[in-house]
Amino acid sequence: MRKVLFVAVIAVLTLCFSASAFAGTLKPGDKTSCVDAKEITLEASGNSSAGDRANANAVIWKSSNATTIPISLGPGENYGFEGERKVGMADKHSMGRKVVTLTHQNNFSRGDSIGDISGEVRITNNGTVDLVVNCK
C-alpha cells in the first residue's frame, strides 16, 4: 500500500512540475497555474474577426499577496490620441499588445509588490479567444 501511495504522490508531483514548465493554450473558461515561475508569458491567439478583434482577457490570482489582477491583450485595438488636433500635441497613437511577460522580482520579499509572481499564480481565461500561457 505504501508503494502505491508513494508512486501516486510522485506521479502527481511530476504532473504539477511539467504543467508549470509549459502551461499551454487556454480555451475560454479554462484555468492553469504556475508555481515559482521566473517568467510568465501570456499571448493572445485570436484572429482579427469583427467579433473578438483578437482581444484576450485573463484574470490572474497571485498567492504571494492574495490579489487578483485583470490583464487584457488587444492587438487589434487602437490606443492613445491622434496627433495635432490644433493643440500642438504629437501623435500618441499605438496598437494594443499581443504578448505580455510577467517577470519575477528579486528585490521584494514575498508579497511586498503587487507585481510579485513568486509562489502560485493562477491564470483564468475569461475572454472569448484562446490565450497561450508559458511558465518558465
Side-chain angles (χ1 to χ4, degrees), residues 74-95:
E77 294 293 330
N78 293 311
Y79 294 99
F81 301 105
E82 293 177 13
E84 197 47 48
R85 291 191 180 174
K86 299 182 183 178
V87 294
M89 183 177 79
D91 189 12
K92 305 290 185 197
H93 177 264
S94 67
M95 295 299 285

Side-chain angles (χ1 to χ4, degrees), residues 36-83:
D36 290 327
K38 298 293 180 198
E39 185 176 284
I40 301 172
T41 303
L42 306 172
E43 180 178 357
S45 64
N47 55 17
S48 294
S49 67
D52 64 36
R53 295 186 308 262
N55 296 337
N57 296 300
V59 174
I60 298 178
W61 178 83
K62 300 179 304 310
S63 68
S64 62
N65 50 14
T67 58
T68 302
I69 59 169
I71 290 185
S72 292
L73 300 171
E77 294 293 330
N78 293 311
Y79 294 99
F81 301 105
E82 293 177 13

